[in-house]
């Protein structure tokens, strides 16, 4: 089973061959923790969670090191803390916890390592010093800048020429730069602004150096996969390559560059001013995490994904379908030796999640039709294997239908009491009352199902 990934560096799909199959390393740029994550931020988290699952499955969980950092020092954080009137630490602790909660609700497993930038400042000072000593960086007015002219290959990852770079987003022109494309490695922190002592005075790191240093600390100079959203290709990843290759040696750093496409909301770029800015937290209040996760997987990761409320509704129906199939298999033990090969081969082909979803739906349909016990046990095994690869079907059908779909309507205790009352009414042959209870519950979104072992219920 070969894994193919589209490599931004070579601009083609390539077979993934790790440097050392016993030690596969993946670094994904994590969040800047200053506010709740929006649904666009969740896309790389879910996509690289799928890839991490696939790598763990292929190479063994102990042989994969998936690193996703936390950027806990950055100007946006400083500004937000000031605006909220809270300390930087209080803000980053609170938003990091919210990020973990939200991503957990989307079924993303924690990465193996999660370095925080503020715990790697010494490493940043060390790498910047190396870059200065090697002639790739210079100090100017309390700043240290990377000298892009010192690196002939600068621009190779993003395929940009010099003019594109200067015109490109986020390149700041400043009088102390030798070249407008030079970027900041270290900047001064005046007054009581958060900062650390350094050979260049009190200051703080630029964003790009953070990832070069955290990836080196966790994975070494050379590792297999580096990922993030495609907006990071330039300047962030281009600059990481420049820093790491110039400090650690040519030919080092990541071998495969994997980037997800952008997410729009109802056809438009997400922005606060358009009022279509959706946090994961808000969306979780509207639909269960598994429905949001499935919706995220409906587009191939390199394609744009348009997030719509109709799409979420459809995804919720599809998760219902999967749990219904699982519920119908409740009377058989799962054959755990089964592997959903169709799902796996779709994912091995550059994470083709739409194809993988088609494959899991096909298993569910087949399961609904099957009558033979052994066959049904096999299909249950396949369904659960497919679910594991995709991070779906993480709960029992009962949990899904009773709890995950929200607690609108009567509580579990109220429903159980009404079911008991209905059983009593039936025993007393008071069918009018028993039908009334069933109809009243249906009207508030609770469906009763009478089976051989009593009455079960689900929210619809
Ligand atoms: P940030 O906190 O802005 O650095 O973003 C964290 C991650 O989310 C990065 O990998 C970004 O590329 C990604 N990202 C941000 N916005 C979107 C979006 N609208 N669609 C897809 N990915 C996004
Ligand atoms: Zn990064």
């Amino acid at each position: 089973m070969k894994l193919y990934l589209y490599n931004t560096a070579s601009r083609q799909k390539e077979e993934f061959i790790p440097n050392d199959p016993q030690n596969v390393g993946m670094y994904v740029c994590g969040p800047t923790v200053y506010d709740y994550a929006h649904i666009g931020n969740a896309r790389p988290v879910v996509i690289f969670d799928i890839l991490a699952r696939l790598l763990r499955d292929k190479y063994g969980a102990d042989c994969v090191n998936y690193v996703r950092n936390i950027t806990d020092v950055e100007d946006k954080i400083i500004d937000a803390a000031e605006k909220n009137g809270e300390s930087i630490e209080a803000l980053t602790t609170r938003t990091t916890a919210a990020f973990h909660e939200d991503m957990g609700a989307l079924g993303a497993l924690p990465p193996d390592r999660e370095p925080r930038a503020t715990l790697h400042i010494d490493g940043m000072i060390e790498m910047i010093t190396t870059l200065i000593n090697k002639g790739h960086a210079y100090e100017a007015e309390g700043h240290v800048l990377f000298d892009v002219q010192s690196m002939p290959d600068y621009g190779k990852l993003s395929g940009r020429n010099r003019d594109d770079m200067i015109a490109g987003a986020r390149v700041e022109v400043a009088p102390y730069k030798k070249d407008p494309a030079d970027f900041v490695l270290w900047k001064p922190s005046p007054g009581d602004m958060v900062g650390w002592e350094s050979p260049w005075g009190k200051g703080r790191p630029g964003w790009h150096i953070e990832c070069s240093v955290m990836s080196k600390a966790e994975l070494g100079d050379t590792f297999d996969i580096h990922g993030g959203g495609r907006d990071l290709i330039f300047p962030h990843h281009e600059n990481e390559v420049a820093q790491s290759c110039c400090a650690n040696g040519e030919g080092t750093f990541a071998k495969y560059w994997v980037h997800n496409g952008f997410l729009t909301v109802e056809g438009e770029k997400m922005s606060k001013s358009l009022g279509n800015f959706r946090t994961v937290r808000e969306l979780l209040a509207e639909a269960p995490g598994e429905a949001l996760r499935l919706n995220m997987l409906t587009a191939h990761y390199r394609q744009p994904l348009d997030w719509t409320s109709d799409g979420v509704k459809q995804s919720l129906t599809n998760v219902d379908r999967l749990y219904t199939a699982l519920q119908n298999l409740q009377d058989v033990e799962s054959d755990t030796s089964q592997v959903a090969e169709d799902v796996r081969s779709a994912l091995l082909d550059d994470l083709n999640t739409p194809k993988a979803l088609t494959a899991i739906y096909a298993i569910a349909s087949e399961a609904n039709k099957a009558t033979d016990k052994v066959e049904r046990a096999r299909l249950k095994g396949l369904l659960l294997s497919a679910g594991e690869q995709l991070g779906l079907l993480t709960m029992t059908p009962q949990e899904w239908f009773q709890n995950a779909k929200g607690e609108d309507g009567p509580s579990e205790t109220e429903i159980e009491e009404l079911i008991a009352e209905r059983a009593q009414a039936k025993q007393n042959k008071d069918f009018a009352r028993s039908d009334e209870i069933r109809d009243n519950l249906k009207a508030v979104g609770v469906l009763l199902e009478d089976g051989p072992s009593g009455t079960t219920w689900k929210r619809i």
Side-chain angles (χ1 to χ4, degrees):
M1 58 167 187
K2 290 181 176 176
L3 166 61
Y4 291 87
L5 291 173
Y6 182 89
N7 188 349
T8 306
S10 65
R11 288 156 185 79
Q12 58 190 1
K13 205 147 80 170
E14 288 179 31
E15 184 185 346
F16 173 70
I17 301 170
N19 288 325
D20 173 6
Q22 305 284 314
N23 190 10
V24 179
M26 172 160 81
Y27 184 93
V28 175
C29 295
T32 303
V33 282
Y34 67 100
D35 204 347
Y36 288 119
H38 60 63
I39 191 65
N41 299 137
R43 192 170 192 198
V45 174
V46 171
I47 290 304
F48 289 100
D49 178 63
I50 296 275
L51 180 52
R53 285 169 192 256
L54 193 61
L55 294 171
R56 288 178 189 134
D57 182 35
K58 184 164 159 62
Y59 298 98
D62 294 345
C63 300
V64 175
N65 195 358
Y66 168 28
V67 182
R68 187 185 64 214
N69 74 291
I70 297 278
T71 294
D72 61 353
V73 50
E74 225 256 335
D75 289 357
K76 277 186 259 181
I77 298 175
I78 299 174
D79 295 346
E82 198 176 290
K83 200 173 118 221
N84 300 348
E86 64 185 329
S87 72
I88 286 178
E89 215 200 326
L91 171 72
T92 57
T93 305
R94 183 170 62 76
T95 46
T96 301
F99 177 78
H100 288 155
E101 257 176 53
D102 293 348
M103 299 307 133
L106 296 181
L109 302 171
D112 298 293
R113 306 275 300 164
E114 194 175 51
R116 289 171 45 185
T118 49
L119 299 180
H120 287 270
I121 302 289
D122 287 350
M124 296 175 204
I125 292 174
E126 197 179 309
M127 191 179 279
I128 296 169
T129 305
T130 304
L131 288 170
I132 294 175
N133 292 343
K134 288 189 169 182
H136 291 293
Y138 60 96
E139 194 187 347
E141 296 181 25
H143 293 72
V144 182
L145 293 139
F146 186 91
D147 181 351
V148 295
Q149 304 249 18
S150 73
M151 191 202 189
D153 268 353
Y154 186 77
K156 199 170 162 196
L157 176 70
S158 57
R160 289 186 183 226
N161 65 32
R162 266 193 53 82
D163 292 346
D164 295 343
M165 281 181 228
I166 296 160
R170 301 205 215 178
V171 172
E172 199 189 334
V173 180
Y176 47 80
K177 287 185 180 181
K178 283 206 271 187
D179 183 305
D182 292 351
F183 58 90
V184 166
L185 301 172
W186 189 263
K187 53 190 157 190
S189 292
D192 57 5
M193 184 181 264
V194 60
W196 291 262
E197 287 308 327
S198 81
W200 321 287
K202 189 185 143 215
R204 59 198 196 283
W207 172 38
H208 315 306
I209 195 76
E210 296 182 6
C211 284
S212 279
V213 168
M214 286 185 273
S215 60
K216 180 182 167 91
E218 297 292 353
L219 298 171
D221 291 349
T222 302
F223 56 93
D224 299 299
I225 300 173
H226 196 316
R230 59 175 309 143
D231 59 319
L232 301 187
I233 300 173
F234 185 84
H236 186 52
H237 288 163
E238 192 72 63
N239 293 352
E240 282 186 40
V241 173
Q243 296 159 158
S244 295
C245 292
C246 290
N248 304 328
E250 212 178 310
T252 56
F253 213 41
K255 197 165 159 198
Y256 299 86
W257 286 87
V258 180
H259 292 103
N260 64 271
F262 247 48
L263 180 151
T264 50
V265 171
E266 309 284 352
E268 292 196 275
K269 187 170 184 262
M270 210 177 350
S271 87
K272 284 197 171 146
S273 56
L274 282 175
N276 65 351
F277 194 88
R278 304 304 310 273
T279 64
V280 174
R281 197 142 281 224
E282 277 165 7
L283 290 166
L284 282 169
E286 293 167 19
E290 251 183 67
L292 302 182
R293 180 180 178 97
L294 187 145
N295 199 46
M296 195 65 97
L297 303 179
T298 53
H300 186 265
Y301 78 94
R302 284 195 285 120
Q303 299 301 321
L305 167 61
D306 190 29
W307 191 272
T308 64
S309 59
D310 283 350
V312 173
K313 262 187 225 138
Q314 182 59 49
S315 294
L316 182 60
T317 306
N318 286 333
V319 181
D320 273 348
R321 265 170 70 191
L322 296 177
Y323 275 110
T324 302
L326 197 57
Q327 192 172 35
N328 294 341
L329 295 166
Q330 249 169 356
D331 58 312
V332 289
E333 286 290 321
S334 146
D335 176 351
T336 51
S337 67
Q338 297 297 320
V339 175
E341 290 295 351
D342 289 355
V343 172
R344 179 144 80 180
S345 62
L347 296 178
L348 285 167
D349 183 14
D350 196 29
L351 312 179
N352 192 338
T353 55
K355 199 167 169 193
L357 287 176
T358 305
I360 194 174
Y361 299 149
I363 298 169
S365 308
E366 214 181 318
N368 289 339
K369 281 183 231 141
T371 49
D372 178 70
K373 214 164 174 166
V374 176
E375 177 64 356
R376 292 173 69 239
R378 183 182 79 84
L379 286 161
K380 188 171 184 176
L382 282 184
L383 192 58
L384 289 172
S385 152
E388 211 167 289
Q389 296 180 62
L390 292 166
L392 299 172
L393 294 175
T394 57
M395 53 190 102
T396 64
Q398 193 174 2
E399 282 165 342
W400 171 259
F401 287 117
Q402 299 190 349
N403 306 326
K405 295 181 72 185
E407 300 241 330
D408 292 348
S411 72
E412 206 172 320
T413 321
E414 284 163 343
I415 297 167
E416 298 291 353
E417 278 169 12
L418 285 165
I419 289 175
E421 192 191 329
R422 178 166 170 265
Q424 189 61 53
K426 269 187 173 174
Q427 233 175 35
N428 300 344
K429 304 216 181 314
D430 183 356
F431 298 115
R433 175 64 186 145
S434 91
D435 286 352
E436 184 186 34
I437 292 174
R438 192 196 53 213
D439 294 346
N440 287 350
L441 280 171
K442 194 167 176 197
V444 291
V446 177
L447 186 71
L448 300 189
E449 288 171 327
D450 295 320
S453 51
T455 302
T456 57
W457 61 273
K458 53 170 137 173
R459 294 187 201 271
I460 46 175

